């Protein structure tokens, strides 16, 4: 049964649709290839990197005059930062209310939440407008040919100024906006946190094949030295290091060179991206002094085999968690209470009561079970742990799954989420409460492994006192869809969870939302607040800067450093776009089961470009394109054996669905066939692979060396 919330927005309209990114949020327990190329080689010797260091730029006021277009374009742009020696990047975001989009519902945006950051999102798309642009005539690298982005004559050049390397990307026009047709340049792997980047756009053509002239302000900057009293003089000085960096990479930068635009931006540091959640985690766990979190079992429901063949006992209860939110108990709409240093702080006595549900399998009454946290879907609840596929895996493989409401993105947060889409000023009420929700789940995980936690309670023991949880096995994580998108945060931050399965997953909402059939239900809220489609693309990027603190995009760079991750992907997924899963795999250094899909299934020139194959874990083979960046393959896992792999992996499951659109639109319409989003979790074969991975850390080949296929779930 699909979860169909009715949401009333501040604009007064009503939304009713399935909003779980395909994870069925159930109110009851009955709901139901070619070898990939390695990554592109550095286009510039890293020894030249010191020459690419950008000169510091001052703080600014007003919109960047560089392109003479909408404010915040091009985006991201260091014009909207200021120098800050206390920040790890040396910069601090410096938005003013006049810079940010104005909500038609709520008015100007308060920039406070953004101005704490020391840079932009590592997953940010580059956004600009180019009137008359023809991507094909200009030779822009499409999503089907990412390797073209690193060609010497590529029309868009993105350089990591700290290393001298070119960065891979794909470019597309916003298919949702025929008026402005914004150019969106997406990193094919997330930008490196804390690094500085230089962008050059050149040799663009219109539909008639004619060259497109640079915007007038930028053309003047490319010309002769401007007098000191010229309004563009300061900007000309700031752009000079950018032009020098591009010139060292072979990009011509004279006024007659065909250079359309050039600028630079800074990516937020890891400290900025993860610091709030890490701070509340460390503070909360320090308060335990080694003890188990306090909990109360509120209900124990034993079931007969006739009632449920897999689950023998359901345990409900609450865990007490220090709350760092601004209101007592942290209700929906709360944001972090912050100390003078800007970090979240606990109001005296503020405690979060995290409700949980655990499903204990029948097998546990014979052999103690593996404990696992479960992550529910968008705007769902802990009750999703009782859905059919989760119960099946529990029964088949002796797992006890426990879940808590992922507050911030739980059922009770529906109206808060809608309001956030209508008004950027309220968006932090979503992302900051999600981080508290992650802390709630971390405390639940500690109770699952601590000897004085659940193991000490009769609810988790047999009638004769034998444990139902295996005390030696620790705790793992399994989540689907929204549980995969946010689950990477929990895995990355957990000191107890060492392995996690991220099912039908991806990261980066600024990429996902336009491409998801689920977002059509929420689109009216965004339209009410920001009716201009060009402005919506800016809103997505600005939102992503805060989303990074609460979803995998902000944690991906180091997710696989100390944790093992298995990504399950449904080919042609209608709800969580495959392109964003591919970016996640490249960023975390995941290896790919190959052949990933049958020949001819992928529309890409090089299917799964830049994701190294499982069968070649020792390094690149002689047939691999030497034009690829081996840095994308920087985290080989240990213990590689034929048919198995121990490390971060991605497995693509194909139910026969056609590929998703190649544009930033959702696969709406019968031509896109069956939505395969729920198919992997409903497959016994997939559940076997997941169970082996979660208990051993090894990804076994359950597909016999062939593409992994599975009939659509019934």
């Amino acid at each position: 049964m699909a979860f169909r919330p009715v949401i009333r927005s501040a604009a007064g309209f009503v939304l009713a649709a399935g909003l779980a990114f395909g994870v069925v949020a159930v109110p009851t327990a009955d709901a139901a290839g070619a070898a990939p190329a390695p990554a592109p080689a550095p286009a510039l010797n890293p020894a030249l990197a010191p020459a690419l260091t950008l000169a510091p730029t001052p703080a600014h006021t007003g919109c960047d005059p560089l392109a003479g277009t909408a404010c915040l374009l091009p985006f991201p742009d260091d014009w909207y930062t200021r120098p800050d020696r206390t920040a790890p990047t040396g910069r601090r975001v410096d938005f003013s209310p006049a810079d940010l989009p104005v909500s038609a519902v709520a008015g100007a945006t308060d920039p406070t939440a953004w101005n704490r950051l020391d840079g932009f999102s590592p997953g940010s798309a580059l956004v600009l407008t180019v009137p008359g642009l023809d991507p094909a005539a200009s030779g822009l690298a499409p999503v089907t040919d990412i390797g073209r982005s690193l060609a010497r004559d590529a029309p868009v050049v993105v350089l990591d100024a700290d290393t001298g390397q070119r960065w891979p990307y794909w470019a597309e026009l916003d298919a949702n906006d025929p008026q402005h047709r914004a150019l969106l340049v997406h990193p094919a792997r997330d930008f490196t946190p804390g690094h500085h980047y230089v962008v050059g756009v050149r040799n663009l053509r219109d539909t008639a094949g004619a060259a497109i002239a640079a915007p007038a302000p930028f053309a003047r900057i490319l010309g002769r030295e401007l007098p000191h009293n010229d309004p563009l003089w300061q900007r000309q000085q700031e752009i000079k290091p950018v032009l020098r960096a591009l010139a060292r990479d072979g990009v011509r930068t004279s006024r007659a060179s065909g250079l359309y635009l050039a600028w630079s931006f800074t990516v937020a540091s890891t400290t900025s991206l993860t610091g709030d959640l890490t701070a509340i985690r460390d503070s909360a766990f320090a308060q335990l002094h080694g003890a188990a979190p306090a909990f109360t079992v509120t209900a124990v429901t034993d079931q007969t085999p006739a009632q449920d063949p897999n689950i023998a006992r359901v345990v409900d209860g609450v865990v007490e968690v220090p709350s760092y939110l601004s209101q007592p108990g942290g209700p929906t709409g709360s944001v972090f209470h912050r100390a003078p240093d800007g970090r979240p702080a606990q109001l005296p006595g503020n405690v979060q009561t995290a409700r949980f549900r655990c499903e204990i399998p029948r097998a546990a009454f014979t052999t103690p079970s593996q404990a696992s946290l479960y992550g529910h879907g968008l705007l769902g609840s802990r009750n999703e742990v009782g859905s059919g596929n989760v119960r099946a895996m529990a029964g088949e493989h002796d797992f006890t799954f426990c879940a808590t409401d992922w507050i911030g993105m739980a059922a009770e947060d529906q109206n808060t989420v809608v309001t956030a889409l209508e008004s950027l000023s309220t968006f932090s009420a979503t992302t900051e409460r999600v981080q508290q929700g992650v802390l709630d789940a971390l405390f639940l995980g500690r109770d699952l492994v601590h000897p004085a936690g659940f193991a000490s309670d009769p609810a988790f023991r047999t009638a004769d006192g034998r444990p139902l949880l295996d005390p030696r096995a620790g705790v793992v994580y399994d989540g689907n869809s929204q549980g995969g998108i946010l689950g990477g945060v929990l895995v990355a931050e957990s000191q107890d969870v060492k392995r996690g399965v991220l099912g039908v997953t991806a990261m980066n909402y600024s990429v996902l939302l336009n491409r998801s059939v689920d977002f059509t239900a929420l689109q009216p809220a965004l339209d009410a607040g920001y009716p201009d489609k060009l402005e919506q693309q800016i809103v997505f990027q600005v939102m992503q800067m805060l989303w990074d603190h609460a979803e995998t995009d902000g944690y991906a760079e180091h997710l696989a450093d100390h944790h093992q991750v298995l990504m399950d992907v449904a080919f042609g997924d209608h709800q969580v776009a495959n392109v964003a899963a591919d970016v996640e795999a490249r960023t975390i250094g995941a290896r790919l089961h190959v052949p990933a899909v049958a020949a001819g299934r992928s529309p890409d020139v090089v299917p799964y470009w830049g994701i190294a194959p499982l069968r070649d874990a020792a390094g690149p083979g002689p047939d691999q394109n030497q034009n690829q960046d081996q840095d994308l393959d920087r985290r080989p896992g240990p213990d590689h054996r034929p048919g198995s792999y121990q490390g971060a992996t991605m497995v693509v499951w194909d139910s026969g669905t056609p590929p998703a659109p190649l544009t930033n639109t959702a696969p709406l319409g019968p031509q896109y066939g069956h939505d395969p989003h729920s198919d992997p979790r409903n497959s016994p074969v997939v559940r076997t692979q997941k169970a082996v991975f979660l208990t051993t850390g090894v990804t076994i080949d359950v597909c016999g060396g062939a593409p992994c296929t599975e009939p659509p779930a019934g």
Side-chain angles (χ1 to χ4, degrees):
M1 170 174 120
F3 178 53
R4 301 179 65 82
V6 176
I7 305 174
R8 299 188 181 276
S9 77
F13 55 82
V14 177
L15 306 178
L19 297 177
F21 273 96
V23 173
V24 181
V26 288
T28 71
D30 300 325
L44 187 62
N45 187 333
L48 298 179
L52 296 177
T53 301
L54 301 180
T57 57
H60 301 98
T61 57
C63 302
D64 189 351
L66 199 63
T69 56
C71 211
L72 288 183
L73 295 185
F75 188 94
D77 180 358
D78 268 346
W79 173 274
Y80 300 100
T81 65
R82 60 179 172 82
D84 186 343
R85 293 182 179 179
T86 68
T89 64
R91 307 294 300 174
R92 186 75 61 186
V93 174
D94 193 26
F95 290 145
S96 74
D99 299 329
L100 293 168
V102 176
S103 168
V105 172
T109 298
D110 179 356
T112 302
W114 288 270
N115 290 349
R116 296 188 186 100
L117 312 179
D118 65 2
F120 298 92
S121 170
S124 180
L126 314 183
V127 184
L128 63 156
T129 55
V130 185
L133 175 66
D134 185 323
S138 301
L140 289 168
V143 69
T144 54
D145 193 3
I146 290 172
R148 196 194 305 176
S149 69
L150 297 170
R152 297 304 308 173
D153 61 350
V156 176
V157 175
V158 183
L159 287 176
D160 182 331
D162 294 349
T163 66
Q165 292 182 340
R166 284 206 191 182
W167 209 259
Y169 60 83
W170 82 88
E172 62 188 3
L173 294 181
D174 180 12
N176 303 285
D177 183 11
Q179 178 185 356
H180 299 103
R181 302 175 81 235
L183 176 60
L184 310 175
V185 180
H186 301 278
R189 182 185 91 209
D190 266 9
F191 297 119
T192 302
H195 284 214
H196 304 267
Y197 288 82
V198 163
V199 184
V201 182
R202 58 181 174 170
N203 301 332
L204 301 181
R205 301 282 172 177
D206 63 19
T207 54
I212 299 176
F218 186 67
R220 292 190 64 224
I221 285 172
L222 289 182
R224 60 184 62 180
E225 186 80 9
L226 298 172
H228 283 228
N229 61 354
D230 190 289
L232 288 174
W233 178 82
Q234 182 63 48
R235 198 68 180 115
Q236 186 181 54
Q237 305 311 305
E238 295 163 4
I239 291 297
K240 284 180 178 180
V242 172
L243 299 178
R244 287 196 293 268
L246 291 170
R248 289 188 179 95
D249 190 60
V251 177
R252 296 175 57 235
T253 60
S254 67
R255 185 164 185 171
S257 64
L259 189 63
Y260 179 83
L261 202 62
W263 75 97
S264 64
F265 63 93
T266 299
V267 179
S269 66
T270 297
T271 299
S272 181
L273 293 165
T274 67
D276 282 353
L277 180 52
T278 300
I280 66 172
R281 180 201 68 186
D282 292 349
S283 169
F285 277 90
Q287 294 181 44
L288 294 175
H289 300 291
F295 69 94
T296 302
V297 171
T298 59
V300 177
T301 305
D302 288 320
Q303 302 179 124
T304 67
Q307 290 172 311
D308 192 302
N310 291 306
I311 301 301
R313 179 175 294 174
V314 179
V315 180
D316 293 285
V318 295
V319 175
E320 294 183 9
V321 187
S323 178
Y324 295 84
L325 296 173
S326 56
Q327 300 179 53
T332 186
S334 301
V335 295
F336 280 142
H337 170 69
R338 293 186 180 271
D341 66 357
R343 287 298 185 199
Q346 186 181 10
L347 288 169
N350 198 9
V351 174
Q352 198 83 25
T353 302
R355 298 171 292 177
F356 70 83
R357 170 163 288 189
C358 295
E359 305 267 340
I360 303 176
R362 299 196 177 282
F365 286 78
T366 302
T367 305
S369 61
Q370 166 71 64
S372 178
L373 293 170
Y374 180 78
H376 68 69
L378 180 67
L379 301 180
S381 78
R382 65 197 180 282
N383 293 337
E384 189 181 303
V385 75
S387 57
N389 67 87
V390 183
R391 288 187 164 200
M393 182 165 170
E396 292 161 1
H397 300 287
D398 197 13
F399 277 73
T400 289
F401 287 103
C402 294
T404 185
D405 292 344
W406 212 315
I407 62 169
M409 294 299 295
E412 64 196 64
D413 298 293
Q414 294 170 22
N415 288 337
T416 300
V417 169
V418 170
T419 300
L421 290 170
E422 296 175 335
S423 171
L424 280 170
S425 291
T426 68
F427 191 62
S428 58
T430 294
T431 58
E432 293 180 4
R433 196 164 186 260
V434 167
Q435 291 172 77
Q436 176 70 47
V438 173
L439 179 61
D440 292 354
L442 294 176
F443 261 48
L444 175 60
R446 179 58 59 88
D447 267 328
L448 281 166
V449 298
H450 198 289
F454 290 171
S456 68
D457 193 278
F460 294 89
R461 290 184 173 271
T462 63
D464 59 0
R466 289 181 292 111
L468 296 173
L469 299 174
D470 184 349
R472 302 162 301 174
V475 61
V476 294
Y477 176 81
D478 187 13
N480 287 298
S481 197
Q482 182 70 70
I485 296 168
L486 303 186
V489 180
L490 185 150
V491 173
E493 286 289 304
S494 178
Q495 298 167 328
D496 297 314
V497 174
K498 300 304 180 186
R499 291 185 289 274
V501 172
L502 308 181
V504 284
T505 190
M507 65 184 191
N508 194 336
Y509 280 108
S510 68
V511 174
L512 288 170
L513 293 184
N514 277 154
R515 288 174 156 83
S516 174
V517 296
D518 292 313
F519 191 65
T520 57
L522 290 170
Q523 184 69 47
L526 184 63
D527 290 340
Y530 304 94
D532 182 83
K533 293 295 184 181
L534 174 59
E535 198 167 64
Q536 288 184 12
Q537 292 302 328
I538 298 172
V539 167
F540 284 148
Q541 304 310 319
V542 172
M543 282 182 166
Q544 191 60 45
M545 294 170 69
L546 300 188
W547 259 129
D548 284 342
H549 304 265
E551 62 119 315
T552 302
D553 195 67
Y555 299 76
E557 181 70 16
H558 299 290
L559 172 58
D561 286 354
H562 305 290
H563 299 85
Q564 294 171 303
V565 177
L566 169 62
M567 297 172 58
D568 278 330
V569 174
F571 184 81
D573 198 321
H574 290 191
Q575 299 171 60
V576 178
N578 291 169
V579 293
D582 294 350
V583 175
E584 180 173 353
R586 294 185 197 102
T587 304
I588 71 173
R591 294 206 179 252
L592 180 73
H593 168 84
V594 291
V597 292
R601 288 288 284 148
S602 171
D604 296 343
V605 172
V606 178
Y608 300 96
W609 180 95
I611 307 175
L614 276 170
R615 67 185 181 197
D616 193 23
D623 60 333
Q624 292 181 326
N625 186 343
Q626 296 305 306
N627 226 8
Q628 307 269 331
D629 179 5
Q630 300 308 315
D631 181 57
L632 287 184
D633 181 27
R634 63 193 185 284
R635 295 192 184 99
D639 193 27
H640 174 64
R641 302 185 301 277
S644 67
Y645 178 66
Q646 195 168 28
T649 38
M650 183 170 83
V651 180
V652 180
W653 291 91
D654 189 351
S655 301
T657 295
L662 300 179
T663 54
N664 65 326
T665 53
L668 297 167
Q671 67 271 32
Y672 294 108
H674 160 79
D675 181 4
H677 187 71
S678 296
D679 293 345
R681 78 194 79 160
N682 283 299
S683 164
V685 174
V686 176
R687 294 196 293 263
T688 294
Q689 186 181 62
K690 292 200 304 180
V692 172
F693 174 81
L694 289 172
T695 53
T696 69
V698 174
T699 300
I700 60 171
D701 181 1
V702 292
C703 304
C708 290
T709 59
E710 188 63 32

